[in-house]
């Protein structure tokens, strides 16, 4: 999800230090790109660059691999200082933070509304990068969610695949309690200090922490209220194994401690990392909230590409993203097969890679499932303070576990959030 004309046709992935940061003003024909994760974003961007240079040999790419936090810090510093010559031509931005950059630094990113055909992308991704009628990014990977579950554990508890279809959260909790009683395995792992599950449930209900105008949407947010109540039940009724931090949660998954994981599509590689568990997993849609308009589709994570408006290579950077990320269907087949990346270009869903059965999941066409759910993800306004709201939610969630009425917890979240975002 993450850039010298000195050597034409070369593509370099560089871990940049301070010296590189000071010299990122590109020569003609060199496109500098900042992103993170060498096995995912960087590797995928190298593939995209190779495809473009095959047709445009005078263009070279300098793909810079930073840690995600470093990308964000360096981008923030460069934009705030106005030192645009320290910035790349293209940068990867996580979807949750897109509006914060667009609204905080107006004019810093190139408007692409008339440069890209956005009708071919998942609507919820396009909405995330739209401000005042202009679209500023090129959608990349989706965080479309699914419920992965252990078929062997469910069978031990007396359940079939059909029992896991069209789930509600009430039914999920009921099954989870039964699975724990009969197999000793909790249904899922849960870190109550992480807001991910609440965000998944809330977006599936078509709501977010903010209204379309950016105002807080807390005390009257039926989806958030239902998500809080549901997560509290999951904890209090013993359905979840308590975990602390990302690594602890992954350990609970890969070790076989838990019977399911509800996460974005990008977790598929981790689920499949244990070869001895092949044939013991299946995939289904996430449970639905009991609120009006709720769906069985949601999103967690995902990022997109943005072109800096001050880039000396702006036109070339835009053409590159348009030719590969907005048009090259074979590119999407390859990154799905090699990297497990479900892109946001809807036309790519008809490719062979999406329809191929997966032996690990007992022959299910898991990629096609995710592709189908992608189009159903509700579009919401992530606003510019999602991280601050997450902090307020997780800080007040323990009170709900101890019996504080949910409406009072919502008021406390709103009060804390209002103080944080002033």
């Amino acid at each position: 999800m993450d850039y010298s004309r000195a050597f034409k046709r070369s593509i370099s992935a560089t871990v940049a230090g301070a010296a590189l940061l000071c010299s990122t003003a590109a020569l003609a024909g060199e496109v500098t790109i900042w992103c993170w994760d060498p096995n995912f974003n960087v590797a995928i961007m190298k593939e995209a660059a190779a495809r473009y240079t095959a047709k445009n040999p005078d263009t070279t790419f300098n793909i810079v691999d930073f840690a995600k936090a470093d990308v964000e810090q360096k981008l923030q510093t460069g934009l705030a200082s106005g030192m645009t010559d320290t910035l790349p031509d293209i940068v990867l931005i996580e979807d949750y933070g897109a509006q914060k950059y667009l609204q905080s630094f107006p004019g810093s990113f190139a408007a692409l509304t008339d440069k890209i055909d956005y009708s071919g992308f998942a609507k919820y991704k396009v909405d995330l990068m739209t401000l005042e009628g202009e679209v500023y990014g090129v959608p990349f990977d989706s965080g479309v969610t699914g419920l992965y579950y252990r078929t062997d554990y469910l069978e031990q508890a007396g359940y079939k695949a059909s029992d896991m279809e069209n789930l509600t959260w009430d039914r999920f909790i009921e099954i989870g309690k039964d699975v724990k009683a009969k197999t000793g395995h909790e249904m899922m792992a849960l870190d109550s200090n992480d807001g991910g599950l609440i965000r998944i449930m809330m977006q599936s209900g078509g709501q977010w922490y903010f209204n379309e105008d950016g105002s807080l949407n807390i005390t009257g947010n039926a989806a958030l209220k239902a998500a809080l109540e549901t997560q509290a039940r999951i904890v209090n009724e013993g359905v979840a194994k308590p975990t602390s931090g990302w690594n602890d949660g992954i350990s609970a998954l890969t070790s076989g401690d838990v019977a399911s994981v509800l996460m974005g599509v990008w977790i598929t590689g981790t689920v499949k990392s244990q070869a001895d568990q092949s044939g013991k997993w299946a995939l289904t849609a996430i449970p639905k909230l009991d609120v009006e308009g709720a769906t069985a589709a949601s999103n967690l994570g995902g990022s997109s590409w943005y072109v800096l408006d001050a880039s000396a290579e702006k036109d070339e950077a835009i053409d590159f993203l348009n030719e590969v990320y907005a048009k090259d269907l074979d590119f999407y087949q390859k990154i799905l097969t090699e990297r497990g990346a479900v892109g946001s270009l809807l036309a790519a869903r008809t490719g062979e890679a999406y329809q191929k059965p997966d032996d690990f999941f007992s022959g299910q066409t898991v990629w096609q499932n995710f592709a189908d759910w992608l189009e159903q993800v509700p579009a919401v306004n992530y606003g510019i303070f999602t991280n601050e709201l997450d902090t307020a939610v997780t800080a007040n969630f323990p009170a709900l576990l101890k019996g504080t009425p949910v409406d009072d917890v919502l008021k406390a979240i709103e009060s804390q959030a209002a103080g944080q975002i002033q």
Side-chain angles (χ1 to χ4, degrees):
M1 299 180 225
D2 313 38
Y3 321 93
S4 170
R5 192 161 191 166
F7 299 98
K8 291 184 179 181
R9 297 185 177 90
S10 69
I11 303 167
S12 60
T14 309
V15 180
L20 180 61
L21 181 61
C22 295
S23 62
T24 52
L27 299 172
E30 177 191 61
V31 177
T32 297
I33 305 173
W34 288 0
C35 48
W36 61 88
D37 192 344
N39 294 315
F40 193 83
N41 300 310
V42 176
I44 288 170
M45 185 51 90
K46 287 173 69 176
E47 171 64 26
R51 287 170 176 264
Y52 190 76
T53 54
K55 298 179 180 179
N56 302 273
D58 288 339
T59 300
T60 57
F61 290 85
N62 181 29
I63 304 172
V64 186
D65 174 18
F66 287 124
K68 178 173 176 289
D70 288 341
V71 171
E72 294 169 343
Q73 186 271 322
K74 293 175 188 299
L75 180 61
Q76 176 83 17
T77 299
L79 292 174
S81 68
M83 297 176 63
T84 57
D85 59 337
T86 69
L87 296 174
D89 303 296
I90 298 171
V91 65
L92 185 67
I93 297 177
E94 188 177 40
D95 291 338
Y96 293 128
Q99 284 294 320
K100 191 164 193 172
Y101 286 107
L102 293 176
Q103 294 184 38
S104 300
F105 302 103
S108 295
F109 300 95
L112 307 180
T113 313
D114 299 325
K115 308 289 187 181
I116 306 289
D117 179 7
Y118 287 102
S119 66
F121 289 98
K123 182 179 183 299
Y124 87 95
K125 289 282 284 190
V126 178
D127 285 0
L128 298 174
M129 54 185 62
T130 301
L131 179 65
E132 296 178 354
E134 294 283 358
V135 191
Y136 289 90
V138 176
F140 176 36
D141 72 310
S142 170
V144 57
T145 53
L147 173 63
Y148 307 75
Y149 65 92
R150 289 284 297 261
T151 55
D152 52 344
Y153 294 168
L154 270 292
E155 287 170 1
Q156 289 175 37
Y159 294 96
K160 305 182 298 293
S162 58
D163 296 313
M164 298 299 290
E165 300 298 318
N166 302 312
L167 288 173
T168 64
W169 279 104
D170 285 344
R171 180 60 172 159
F172 176 85
I173 292 171
E174 179 185 343
I175 292 173
K177 291 166 68 174
D178 208 16
V179 168
K180 177 63 185 298
K182 294 177 179 177
T183 73
H185 295 283
E186 287 91 351
M187 192 65 174
M188 64 188 302
L190 181 64
D191 181 355
S192 293
N193 291 314
D194 183 283
L197 181 60
I198 287 174
R199 275 186 269 124
I200 290 172
M201 289 191 282
M202 179 170 55
Q203 185 165 358
S204 76
Q207 298 289 310
W208 201 251
Y209 297 130
F210 309 98
N211 295 303
E212 282 302 313
D213 62 2
S215 60
L216 282 171
N217 179 28
I218 306 298
T219 54
N221 187 331
L224 175 57
K225 180 177 181 178
L228 287 165
E229 291 176 317
T230 300
Q231 181 162 298
R233 285 189 59 201
I234 288 171
V235 174
N236 285 335
E237 297 185 31
V239 174
K241 176 183 176 64
T243 56
S244 179
W246 176 255
N247 290 338
D248 197 21
I250 292 300
S251 177
L253 162 64
T254 57
S255 67
D257 283 352
V258 296
S260 72
V261 59
L262 198 159
M263 200 68 70
V265 59
W266 38 261
I267 201 69
T268 305
T270 302
V271 175
K272 295 176 64 175
S273 66
Q274 306 302 307
D276 62 334
Q277 296 177 14
S278 180
K280 299 178 180 179
W281 283 92
L283 177 74
T284 191
I286 66 171
K288 289 177 64 172
L289 283 179
D290 186 20
V291 297
E292 184 178 356
T295 68
S298 192
N299 181 80
L300 183 66
S303 303
S304 298
W305 303 104
Y306 293 78
V307 176
L308 277 297
D309 197 58
S311 163
E313 305 301 330
K314 180 169 68 174
D315 291 342
E316 196 162 20
I318 294 171
D319 186 66
F320 159 61
L321 292 175
N322 185 38
E323 288 302 312
V324 180
Y325 286 90
K327 297 180 180 179
D328 191 340
L329 301 185
D330 182 68
F331 165 71
Y332 283 100
Q333 305 301 304
K334 187 168 185 178
I335 66 174
L336 177 71
T337 301
E338 295 185 353
R339 302 291 167 181
V342 174
S344 306
L345 189 65
L346 297 177
R349 301 177 302 167
T350 61
E352 181 180 347
Y354 280 83
Q355 299 167 24
K356 184 178 180 180
D358 191 322
D359 291 340
F360 190 92
F361 294 97
S362 299
Q364 279 189 288
T365 54
V366 294
W367 301 124
Q368 190 62 56
N369 286 339
F370 280 116
D372 292 341
W373 299 330
L374 173 63
E375 198 169 16
Q376 301 168 24
V377 176
V380 297
N381 175 22
Y382 284 160
I384 64 175
F385 295 112
T386 284
N387 291 336
E388 289 78 359
L389 265 295
D390 265 0
T391 298
V393 167
T394 56
N396 289 281
F397 181 69
L400 186 61
L401 297 178
K402 296 176 182 178
T404 301
V406 66
D407 289 332
D408 291 344
V409 172
L410 287 166
K411 290 176 183 177
I413 292 170
E414 186 170 85
S415 177
Q416 178 174 333
Q420 287 179 312
I421 65 179
Q422 285 180 342

